[in-house]
């Protein structure tokens, strides 16, 4: 039983211990606590870049809870650390009493000094690594500094070699630094490096007030460059952020300033040559990763960050006349922003097009506005001009409103001609004031106002204010004034011209009568000779018959009769000659297209029709393509005579009814064609229809009664006939019927 109990106890103990061991394996290991101790304040750009590098490297371990990362800032230049018991020592002990760091990361030489004096009493068991320390400064610590860390080099010589390649005339270097211990250490290291080269003239401005240093930099000789090292304090103990001091100095410096830290770029430095702080932070993070992986600081050792970066500011380069495109090889150009076209070509194109379209639209609107103003100015100028012309015009002028036919304005010449004042006529019609007769002219005036007929030399008899009758000619035009349509009516006094025309017609009639008398005498003279000869021969023949023998009588009688025949032919020729003379042209006939005759008539009569305000209408149904045999001049003259007579007939009717129509009808089967002239006048009295073609018959005061008689003579000479009849309603219809020549079937 005792043995069984021992076995059970052993088994149970083994099981319990195994379970406990399994539980320990499942329990996660404690995260590594890392404290990063920065030498200066949080706002220092170098610290911010270092922090970014450390965090970017350790972020996976932090997110997986394998590391707890803490940060503290010694603010070495502002808080005292030389006391027997500095406040930062007690602060760190108290703050991390329950969370003692496993690894201390010391950033900067001030943090190394602090660690050497106090870290053994604060965190004696913590492992120590460092970063952000110059290689020359780390060398001064010797065995006193931690065995693991990241050091960097000052790149003053490589930087100035780049500068010398771009500015071969440079031979002098001015070093600018503050008065802090770190500032002086850095400037001494830089001087040692430059003196080793021996080809530079070196001067320095150390510890001076920023204003004084800037004043000295404002008057540097040519061939000089400035190297800004570090500036944390001046000689009076006032602390600064180096980047701000560099900005202040660069604003007045007459020479380009170069710096040894990458955080100085963009604050007035023309260029920098340095190991970027963010890269040093990443390397420090990699050291911590190796410690987490189990390596000891001594196994890791010191890492030298010799990956130098040369970065120049394009803005500062141009300020000092340096072309960024000529920068030496290995130099990165910053702040060289691409132009708008290069960075946003499509946006620039469409934006430019939009601006162009808008500009064109604006220009178009401005041009339209200019044109409108110009038109308005011209309209006002034309109104003033028209008013002047209207008032000063020697011809009587009146403005008649279309809507009611009333006179809206008259000029002085109108008052003088019609012997009426403005007050007496404005607002009234010519019918109201008695210029036109209401009995005979009311319809004509209404037709003129409403239908808008344009008058051009339309002659009419009017009555003046004194009752005198005057013959005048009217000219009209329609315009819009102030949105209202008006007619401008110009009057020309035609009394003198009409009297002269009557006198001229009377003289012409007398002259024609005298000519006819001379022609009659000549006809009598010319025909009397052959008739006298015929009479003598006839008497001789009779006497011969009475006394001569039959044979001799027959022979002589033949001779007499031959003479009679000869004289008869002579008389016929005389008549033909007279007819030719009266026509004043050759009566030779030839084939004529009827359409050409109508075209000539319409062309010749249209101007007179326009002057008389007569609607002359061309054949509406077209003209058959037929021809006649005749004299073109004579046939055209006959039709013109009929057309002008028709115009005279419609002269007394309203203008809307002054219509003269031409027509043509052909019968190919019967072989004739009718040339027709119709009017809408009063027609011909029925008892006069048989007399209109007689010589010296006329219904006109100045007519000689020869036109229609001669027309009939010419038509009959062409083997045709001319007739007239009154149409149903009103008007007369004259018809000329001629024989066709070579009729065709084309219509």
């Amino acid at each position: 039983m005792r043995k069984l109990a021992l076995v059970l106890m052993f088994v149970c103990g083994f099981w319990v211990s195994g379970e406990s061991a399994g539980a320990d394996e499942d329990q996660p290991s404690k995260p590594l606590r890392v404290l990063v101790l920065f030498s200066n304040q949080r706002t220092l750009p170098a610290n911010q870049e270092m922090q970014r590098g450390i965090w970017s490297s350790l972020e996976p371990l932090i997110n997986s809870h394998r590391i707890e990362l803490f940060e503290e800032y010694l603010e070495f230049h502002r808080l005292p650390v030389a006391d027997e018991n500095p406040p930062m020592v007690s602060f760190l002990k108290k703050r991390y009493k329950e969370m003692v760091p496993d690894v201390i990361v010391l950033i900067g030489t001030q943090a190394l000094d602090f660690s050497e004096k106090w870290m053994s009493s604060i965190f004696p068991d913590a492992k120590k690594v460092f970063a952000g320390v110059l290689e020359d400064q780390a060398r001064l610590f010797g065995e006193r500094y931690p065995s693991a860390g990241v050091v960097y080099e000052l790149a003053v010589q490589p930087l100035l070699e780049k500068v010398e390649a771009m500015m071969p005339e440079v031979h002098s270097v001015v070093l600018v630094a503050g008065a802090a211990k770190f500032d002086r250490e850095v400037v001494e290291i830089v001087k040692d490096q430059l003196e080793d080269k021996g080809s530079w003239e070196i001067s320095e401005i150390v510890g001076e007030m920023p204003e004084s240093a800037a004043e000295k930099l404002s008057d540097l000789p040519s061939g000089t460059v400035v190297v800004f090292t570090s500036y944390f304090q001046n000689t009076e103990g006032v602390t600064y952020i180096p980047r701000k001091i560099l900005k202040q100095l660069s604003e007045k410096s007459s020479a380009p300033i170069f710096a040894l830290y990458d955080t100085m770029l963009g604050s007035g430095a023309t260029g920098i040559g340095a190991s970027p702080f963010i890269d040093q932070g990443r390397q420090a993070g990699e050291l911590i990763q190796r410690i987490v992986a189990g390596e000891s600081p001594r196994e890791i050792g010191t890492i030298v960050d010799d990956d130098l970066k040369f970065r120049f500011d394009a803005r500062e380069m141009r300020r000092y006349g340096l072309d960024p495109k000529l920068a030496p090889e290995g130099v990165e150009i910053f702040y060289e922003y691409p132009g708008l076209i290069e960075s946003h070509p499509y946006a620039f194109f469409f934006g430019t097009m939009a601006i162009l379209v808008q500009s064109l639209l604006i220009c178009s609107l401005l041009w339209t506005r200019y044109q409108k103003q110009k038109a308005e100015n011209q309209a006002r100028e034309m109104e003033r001009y028209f008013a002047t012309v209207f008032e000063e015009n020697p011809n009587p002028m009146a403005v008649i409103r279309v809507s009611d036919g009333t006179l809206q304005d008259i000029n002085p010449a109108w008052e003088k001609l019609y012997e009426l004042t403005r007050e007496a006529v404005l607002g009234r019609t010519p019918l109201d004031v008695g210029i036109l007769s209401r009995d005979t002219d009311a319809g004509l005036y209404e037709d003129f106002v409403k239908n808008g007929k344009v008058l051009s030399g339309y002659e009419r008899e009017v009555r003046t204010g004194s009752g005198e009758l005057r013959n005048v000619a009217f000219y009209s035009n329609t315009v819009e004034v102030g949105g209202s349509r008006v007619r401008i009516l110009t009057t020309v006094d035609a009394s003198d011209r009409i009297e002269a025309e009557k006198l001229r017609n009377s003289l012409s009639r007398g002259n024609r009568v005298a000519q006819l008398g001379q022609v009659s005498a000549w006809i009598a003279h010319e025909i009397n000779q052959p008739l006298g000869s015929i009479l003598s021969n006839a008497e001789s023949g009779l006497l011969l018959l009475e006394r001569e023998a039959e044979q001799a009588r027959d022979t002589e009688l033949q001779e007499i009769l031959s003479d009679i025949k000869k004289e008869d032919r002579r008389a016929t020729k005389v008549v033909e000659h007279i007819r030719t003379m009266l026509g004043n042209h050759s009566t030779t006939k030839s084939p004529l297209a009827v359409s050409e005759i109508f075209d000539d008539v319409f062309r010749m009569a249209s101007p007179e029709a326009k002057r008389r305000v007569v609607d002359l209408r061309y054949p509406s149904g077209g003209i058959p393509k037929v021809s006649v045999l005749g004299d073109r001049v004579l046939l055209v003259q006959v039709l013109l005579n009929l057309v002008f007579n028709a115009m005279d007939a419609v002269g007394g009717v309203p203008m809307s009814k002054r219509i003269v129509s031409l027509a043509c009808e052909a019968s190919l089967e019967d072989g004739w064609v009718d040339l027709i002239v119709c009017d809408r006048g009063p027609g011909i009295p029925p008892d006069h229809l048989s007399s209109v073609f007689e010589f010296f018959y006329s219904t006109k005061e100045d007519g000689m009664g020869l036109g229609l008689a001669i027309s009939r003579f010419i038509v009959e000479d062409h083997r045709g006939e001319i007739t007239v009849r009154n149409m149903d309603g009103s008007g007369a219809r004259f018809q000329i019927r001629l024989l066709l020549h070579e009729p065709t079937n084309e219509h």
Side-chain angles (χ1 to χ4, degrees):
M1 291 295 292
R2 182 178 294 177
K3 289 182 179 180
L4 180 60
L6 290 174
V7 171
L8 290 174
M9 289 176 62
F10 176 78
V11 173
C12 291
F14 179 79
W15 177 79
V16 172
S17 64
E19 187 178 51
S20 176
D24 291 340
E25 290 178 1
D26 294 338
Q27 185 71 23
S29 60
K30 183 181 67 173
L32 187 72
R33 295 190 182 98
V34 178
L35 173 62
V36 182
L37 195 61
F38 291 92
S39 297
N40 300 295
Q41 63 265 38
R42 183 189 300 270
T43 57
L44 193 69
N47 288 345
Q48 295 173 358
E49 290 296 300
M50 188 75 74
Q51 180 191 46
R52 287 177 55 205
I54 293 173
W55 274 86
S56 65
S57 178
L58 297 180
E59 187 173 8
L61 297 178
I62 295 172
N63 293 337
S64 62
H65 303 289
R66 298 178 64 188
I67 287 180
E68 288 183 348
L69 189 64
F70 303 92
E71 297 172 351
E72 297 294 344
Y73 297 86
L74 293 175
E75 301 198 34
F76 186 83
H77 297 293
R78 298 195 298 171
L79 299 177
V81 293
D83 300 340
E84 291 297 328
N85 189 17
M88 183 58 70
V89 174
S90 58
F91 169 77
L92 293 175
K93 286 181 179 181
K94 183 176 180 180
R95 184 168 189 177
Y96 294 96
K97 180 178 180 181
E98 303 298 331
M99 297 180 295
V100 178
D102 300 307
V103 178
I104 305 296
V105 182
L106 305 169
I107 306 298
T109 56
Q110 296 92 338
L112 283 175
D113 288 336
F114 180 84
S115 174
E116 182 183 7
K117 293 180 180 180
W118 307 104
M119 198 59 66
S120 59
S121 63
I122 304 173
F123 307 121
D125 299 327
K127 299 175 182 179
K128 302 177 186 63
V129 296
F130 66 91
V133 177
L134 282 169
E135 185 178 13
D136 293 337
Q137 291 175 324
R139 194 178 298 114
L140 295 176
F141 279 90
E143 295 296 329
R144 294 179 293 121
Y145 74 94
S147 56
V150 180
V151 297
Y152 67 94
E153 296 179 343
L154 278 180
V156 61
Q157 282 196 15
L159 174 62
L160 291 179
E161 288 174 359
K162 300 289 186 184
V163 173
E164 190 176 23
M166 189 169 55
M167 303 172 63
E169 73 279 6
V170 173
H171 56 82
S172 177
V173 178
V174 177
L175 303 179
V176 178
K181 178 184 177 184
F182 177 79
D183 299 333
R184 294 184 181 277
E185 289 176 356
V186 173
V187 77
E188 289 299 325
I189 294 173
V190 171
K191 285 171 61 178
D192 291 341
Q193 291 186 12
L194 294 179
E195 288 173 354
D196 290 343
K197 185 174 183 181
S199 61
W200 302 89
E201 296 179 10
I202 302 172
S203 59
E204 59 183 66
I205 301 174
V206 178
E208 295 194 20
M209 297 293 289
E211 294 78 8
S212 175
E215 191 65 30
K216 290 183 178 181
L217 295 181
S218 65
D219 191 24
L220 295 175
S222 60
T224 302
V225 294
V226 179
V227 175
F228 181 82
T229 58
S230 174
Y231 202 113
F232 282 100
Q233 279 185 349
N234 62 13
T235 54
E236 297 179 0
V238 180
T239 60
Y240 300 96
I241 294 179
R243 184 171 177 172
K244 294 183 178 180
I245 297 299
L246 174 61
K247 184 70 174 177
Q248 184 177 352
L249 297 178
S250 68
E251 290 176 354
K252 289 191 175 183
S253 178
S254 60
I257 301 177
F258 295 89
L260 304 176
Y261 300 100
D262 65 302
T263 53
M264 301 300 171
L265 193 68
S267 296
T270 303
I272 62 97
S275 299
F277 285 111
I278 191 171
D279 293 342
Q280 296 182 47
R282 290 194 188 99
Q283 291 179 344
E286 292 171 359
L287 292 182
I288 297 172
Q289 291 181 37
R290 294 172 66 178
I291 292 174
V292 172
E295 291 188 64
S296 66
R298 189 168 297 278
E299 290 174 337
I300 296 172
T302 302
I303 298 174
V304 179
D305 183 5
D306 56 0
D307 185 15
L308 299 177
K309 304 293 184 183
F310 299 97
R311 297 170 177 172
F312 285 11
D313 188 331
R315 300 168 301 179
E316 296 296 326
M317 293 179 70
R318 290 194 178 92
R319 175 185 168 191
Y320 294 105
L322 303 176
D323 188 354
K325 296 180 180 179
L326 301 180
E329 184 179 357
V331 173
E332 300 177 70
I333 301 298
F334 282 70
Y335 305 107
E336 177 75 322
Y337 301 113
L340 179 62
I341 300 177
E342 292 82 2
S343 58
H344 303 89
Y346 294 107
F348 176 81
F349 173 76
F350 289 111
T352 303
M353 292 302 296
I355 293 173
L356 180 61
V357 170
Q358 289 180 348
S359 300
L360 291 176
L361 180 60
I362 292 172
C363 291
S364 175
L365 293 175
L366 291 175
W367 176 253
T368 302
R369 182 172 178 270
Y370 166 75
Q371 291 287 58
K372 181 179 179 182
Q373 290 179 341
K374 182 179 178 181
E376 291 174 351
N377 293 335
Q378 289 178 344
R380 286 192 291 269
E381 187 65 27
M382 288 303 296
E383 287 179 3
R384 289 193 293 268
Y385 174 76
F386 175 77
T388 303
V389 171
F390 184 79
E391 290 295 324
E392 302 296 332
N393 200 310
N395 292 319
M397 298 181 69
V399 179
I400 300 175
R401 187 162 57 194
V402 172
S403 60
D404 56 9
T406 58
L407 293 163
Q408 299 299 304
D409 198 4
I410 59 175
N411 67 351
W414 195 96
E415 294 182 84
K416 182 178 179 181
L417 174 66
Y418 289 97
E419 301 176 3
L420 293 169
T421 63
R422 291 171 56 85
E423 293 76 11
V425 300
L426 293 186
R428 304 173 67 190
T429 68
L431 299 172
D432 296 335
V433 298
I435 295 175
L436 299 176
S437 172
R438 189 175 293 277
D439 296 333
T440 59
D441 296 329
L444 294 174
Y445 183 70
E446 182 179 0
D447 183 54
F448 160 69
V449 173
K450 299 298 183 183
N451 295 331
K453 285 283 188 179
V454 177
L455 303 182
S456 179
Y458 173 63
E459 296 181 356
R460 196 71 184 170
E461 190 176 63
V462 298
R463 187 180 299 275
T464 66
S466 63
E468 179 185 358
L469 293 177
R470 286 181 178 270
N471 290 301
V472 297
F474 291 120
Y475 298 83
S476 70
N477 194 17
T478 303
V479 297
E480 282 197 12
V481 177
S484 177
R485 295 178 69 243
V486 298
R487 301 201 189 285
I488 310 299
L489 186 66
T490 303
T491 306
V492 176
D493 190 353
S495 299
D496 294 339
R497 183 185 62 78
I498 291 176
E499 290 298 326
E501 188 173 327
K502 287 182 178 180
L503 178 60
R504 185 170 59 253
N505 291 337
S506 177
L507 293 175
S508 177
R509 177 184 175 89
N511 185 44
R512 289 198 298 270
V513 171
Q515 288 180 352
L516 285 175
Q518 293 178 359
V519 170
S520 299
W522 179 76
I523 292 173
H525 176 269
E526 292 294 329
I527 293 181
N528 280 336
Q529 288 184 358
L531 291 179
S533 178
I534 291 172
L535 180 60
S536 297
N537 284 316
E539 290 176 348
S540 299
L542 290 174
L543 292 175
L544 184 62
L545 288 173
E546 292 177 356
R547 70 172 184 266
E548 295 293 337
E550 183 176 352
Q551 183 176 0
R553 185 180 60 202
D554 292 342
T555 301
E556 191 170 355
L557 184 59
Q558 287 179 354
E559 293 178 356
I560 291 171
L561 293 176
S562 177
D563 288 340
I564 292 173
K565 182 178 180 181
K566 181 178 179 181
E567 293 302 324
D568 182 74
R569 287 181 177 176
R570 179 184 172 192
T572 301
K573 289 182 179 180
V574 169
V575 173
E576 292 293 334
H577 183 70
I578 292 172
R579 291 172 63 186
T580 301
M581 184 273 296
L582 289 175
N584 196 27
H585 67 283
S586 175
T587 58
T588 303
K589 299 177 179 62
S590 60
L592 300 173
V594 174
S595 60
E596 294 179 358
I597 297 174
F598 274 95
D599 289 342
D600 290 346
V601 171
F602 191 83
R603 184 180 68 256
M604 295 178 184
S606 292
E608 183 66 10
K610 183 178 180 181
R611 189 184 73 82
R612 300 192 190 188
V613 196
V614 173
D615 185 4
L616 179 61
R617 297 182 179 179
Y618 198 76
S620 58
I623 300 174
K625 294 183 178 180
V626 296
S627 60
V628 297
L629 191 65
D631 188 301
R632 181 170 185 164
V633 174
L634 290 178
L635 292 179
V636 169
Q637 186 61 39
V638 170
L639 283 175
L640 282 175
N641 187 32
L642 297 179
V643 169
F644 289 144
N645 285 345
M647 290 184 185
D648 293 338
V650 299
V653 301
M655 285 182 283
S656 60
K657 296 182 179 180
R658 294 181 185 177
I659 301 173
V660 175
S661 303
L662 302 178
C664 181
E665 298 175 357
S667 175
L668 300 180
E669 295 179 357
D670 298 332
W672 52 260
V673 60
D674 289 339
L675 314 182
I676 302 168
V677 178
C678 301
D679 65 68
R680 295 290 182 86
I684 301 173
D687 55 338
H688 291 179
L689 285 174
S690 59
S691 304
V692 294
F693 296 107
E694 295 179 1
F695 278 96
F696 304 109
Y697 175 82
S698 176
T699 59
K700 304 176 185 177
E701 293 181 1
D702 56 347
M704 293 189 63
L706 295 177
L708 291 177
I710 294 175
S711 297
R712 185 187 64 177
F713 179 82
I714 294 173
V715 171
E716 290 176 351
D717 184 61
H718 283 74
R719 299 172 62 191
E721 64 177 359
I722 181 170
T723 59
V724 61
R725 65 178 176 83
N726 286 325
M727 296 189 297
D728 295 337
S730 64
R733 182 179 188 272
F734 284 81
Q735 175 179 300
I736 300 172
R737 175 164 291 186
L738 299 174
L739 295 177
L740 289 177
H741 177 74
E742 297 180 357
T744 66
N745 292 325
E746 296 179 9
H747 292 274

